[in-house]
Amino acid sequence: MDDTVDDDFIELPKQLTGRDVALFLDPFGFQASTQMDWQKGTENPEFTIRVHGHSTCGRHLHYIIECHLWRGKKTPEERPWVEWKVSRRLAHLRAGLHDLVKHYLGSSYQTYFCQVPFAHRLRPVGTTCRLDRWCSRMAVCLSSRLVPPIVAANVLRVLGAPDLKSCELPGVTFCDQMCSEADSHGPTDLPTQDGDDSSLDLSETRIS
């Protein structure tokens, strides 16, 4: 079954542009001067993304994604500053991540993602592995400033990055329900179409 059926596709978060890009990125440690330019003399925090398997929600397959953010460069001794887990359909990842990155990288996309193809539409065997490798490469591009700030901001939104303004105390761990159709959704929340499977609808976040 093709994962891009229009009548089942849940709308992605509205894309951030202009000044909203820098304002959104700042709490995460990403310093942007414009939506297309990073601030000179600063470095991005290290960001990693891993895709760890999948689960079924209704009649759709959702991929389990773990995100980790360090304040600076990752070291073996240091735990991530923020870590969270979300589930996303392949259609969301293709439209919200792949198409966005490819659009803004233009001809450079083939250079940065050489031999790291995105997943096929019909989800053959090996899709999770492809997604994991592609998302890992995308995270490197964010950390290394190979993509503009507008990409970084909207990638974090699609991946359900937590609202750090509500996480003022260090060492906080909490879960936030994300995909019940009856719930109201924050600016980084991406609902799914089946609100009756709560086992798949939790975004786990840790602030260290």
Side-chain angles (χ1 to χ4, degrees):
M1 173 182 167
D2 192 336
D3 193 63
T4 57
V5 180
D6 289 340
D7 58 358
D8 287 333
F9 186 79
I10 300 300
E11 187 175 353
L12 294 165
K14 182 179 179 181
Q15 189 174 114
L16 291 177
T17 59
R19 292 185 58 197
D20 290 338
V21 169
L23 292 173
F24 178 84
L25 287 173
D26 183 67
F28 296 96
F30 294 89
Q31 304 298 316
S33 54
T34 71
Q35 69 172 22
M36 297 301 295
D37 298 298
W38 296 105
Q39 283 188 16
K40 295 181 179 180
T42 63
E43 293 185 352
N44 281 359
E46 186 152 354
F47 184 48
T48 64
I49 308 170
R50 299 303 307 269
V51 181
H52 292 295
H54 51 76
S55 298
T56 302
C57 183
R59 59 192 184 89
H60 294 292
L61 204 63
H62 291 244
Y63 293 88
I64 310 304
I65 304 168
E66 293 185 1
C67 303
H68 300 83
L69 185 66
W70 282 261
R71 292 182 184 274
K73 297 299 180 183
K74 180 175 65 173
T75 64
E77 301 81 16
E78 184 183 7
R79 292 194 60 177
W81 170 43
V82 183
E83 52 188 312
W84 71 94
K85 182 187 296 184
V86 295
S87 62
R88 294 290 182 261
R89 286 175 54 196
L90 179 58
H92 293 136
L93 299 176
R94 180 180 298 278
L97 303 184
H98 171 266
D99 293 355
L100 174 77
V101 170
K102 192 170 184 179
H103 171 76
Y104 281 99
L105 283 182
S107 60
S108 296
Y109 180 84
Q110 296 301 327
T111 300
Y112 299 150
F113 287 83
C114 178
Q115 299 183 345
V116 188
F118 194 73
H120 293 300
R121 290 184 181 275
L122 297 181
R123 305 190 305 274
V125 174
T127 294
T128 300
C129 182
R130 276 182 173 240
L131 285 175
D132 181 52
R133 294 182 63 222
W134 190 92
C135 287
S136 294
R137 179 65 59 86
M138 180 186 65
V140 170
C141 289
L142 265 67
S143 302
S144 305
R145 297 188 165 190
L146 297 177
V147 293
I150 191 172
V151 172
N154 288 291
V155 163
L156 289 172
R157 279 170 59 81
V158 170
L159 292 177
D163 180 5
L164 297 186
K165 294 179 181 179
S166 66
C167 309
E168 298 177 356
L169 297 177
V172 175
T173 302
F174 64 93
C175 294
D176 184 23
Q177 187 170 353
M178 293 184 65
C179 98
S180 171
E181 291 181 348
D183 290 344
S184 59
H185 301 283
T188 63
D189 291 349
L190 179 63
T192 57
Q193 68 286 343
D194 297 294
D196 56 349
D197 189 346
S198 59
S199 64
L200 195 63
D201 303 339
L202 292 179
S203 173
E204 301 178 359
T205 306
R206 180 189 301 274
I207 311 294
S208 300

